[in-house]
Amino acid sequence: MIPGVLTVAGSDSGGGAGIQADLKTMLALGVHGMSVITAVTAQNSVGVQGAWELPVKAVRAQYRSVVDDIGVRAVKTGMLSSAELVETVAELIAGTDAPAVVDPVGVSKHGDALLAPSALDSVRTALLPVATVATPNLDEVAHLTGVRVESEDDLRRAAEAVLAFGPRWVVVKGGHLAGDAVDLLTDGSQEHWLRAPRHDNRHTHGTGCTLASAIASQLAKGQTVPEAVMAAKEYVTGAIAAGFALGAGIGPVHHGWNLG
């Protein structure tokens, strides 16, 4: 059977990030993608023009509809804009026997806020403790922990601060640093430093969603966390290299680059 992976995230009308990026990634990696939409955004290559959160009742109903009938081999979370949504999704994940990849989305690629400041505590106390893997970028690390990463030497300290909230593993994404694109994967006892060349390509919309979905897809296929993250890093690096212009701003990564 083809493994099923569930994404719990917002919709990106421009197709570069969110639910749309998640489902494209899952298709490209050979799993069956399913979705729980938490919010609808009006979004394109230049920014987010509007966002509308779905009721908790609708989010819960979507989740139960999929999990209770079809089942899931992994869950990935993205945009959860309010404390109530964060806590609801954390509760649902805690009752699901599947690994969970938590992308603690705070802002869009263009700097638009996608998480209410009041929801940060819920991410720390409810969502991160149920995560198999958390995938914060440097801005998200700073908001969640107060740790500012200025160089590779700071990545270990950032990872330790995130792990203190309870996820089993954390990938601190160092893509915003200068030099090679380096990420640190650790569970507090073992470390994996993931390096890739930095591609001269500004079309990187959807990288965070894509990485988290790729990790979830590989976990659903039975890989260990280190195996899944390494494979996901390779996939995302290729997608960035093949990113393309779309609209007047930042274009998306190419989710189908590996399909020929």
Side-chain angles (χ1 to χ4, degrees), residues 29-50:
L29 295 178
V31 299
H32 175 64
M34 301 169 287
S35 63
V36 171
I37 298 176
T38 61
V40 175
T41 71
Q43 188 171 167
N44 55 27
S45 69
V46 298
V48 178
Q49 291 76 47

Side-chain angles (χ1 to χ4, degrees), residues 113-132:
L114 299 176
L115 178 72
S118 59
L120 280 172
D121 275 341
S122 297
V123 173
R124 296 182 189 108
T125 62
L127 189 59
L128 288 176
V130 300
T132 307

Side-chain angles (χ1 to χ4, degrees), residues 49-224:
Q49 291 76 47
W52 298 267
E53 181 181 312
L54 267 68
V56 164
K57 182 178 180 181
V59 171
R60 186 183 294 275
Q62 291 175 82
Y63 192 101
R64 291 263 61 95
S65 179
V66 171
V67 173
D68 293 348
D69 173 45
I70 302 170
V72 294
R73 294 283 293 275
V75 179
K76 175 263 176 182
T77 71
M79 177 185 176
L80 305 173
S81 52
S82 68
E84 188 177 19
L85 271 181
V86 170
E87 291 164 9
T88 297
V89 172
E91 173 196 338
L92 290 166
I93 289 173
T96 304
D97 185 19
V101 180
V102 169
D103 184 16
V105 175
V107 298
S108 75
K109 178 67 68 176
H110 308 91
D112 303 288
L114 299 176
L115 178 72
S118 59
L120 280 172
D121 275 341
S122 297
V123 173
R124 296 182 189 108
T125 62
L127 189 59
L128 288 176
V130 300
T132 307
V133 187
T135 65
N137 63 28
L138 301 188
D139 290 335
E140 290 155 357
V141 166
H143 282 102
L144 289 168
T145 71
V147 174
R148 301 281 177 179
V149 176
E150 305 291 343
S151 68
E152 283 189 28
D153 294 338
D154 297 326
L155 290 176
R156 184 177 289 112
R157 184 164 57 93
E160 290 171 352
V162 176
L163 285 172
F165 293 119
R168 287 173 51 196
W169 292 82
V170 61
V171 183
V172 179
K173 299 179 293 191
H176 293 166
L177 295 175
D180 287 348
V182 57
D183 307 324
L184 172 60
L185 167 67
T186 180
D187 64 353
S189 60
Q190 57 178 298
E191 292 182 351
H192 302 270
W193 291 85
L194 310 176
R195 295 182 183 276
R198 184 176 300 279
H199 294 289
D200 185 18
N201 187 351
R202 65 187 294 264
H203 301 300
T204 56
H205 187 47
T207 50
C209 306
T210 300
L211 178 70
S213 295
I215 295 170
S217 298
Q218 303 296 4
L219 290 175
K221 293 191 287 188
Q223 293 187 349
T224 65

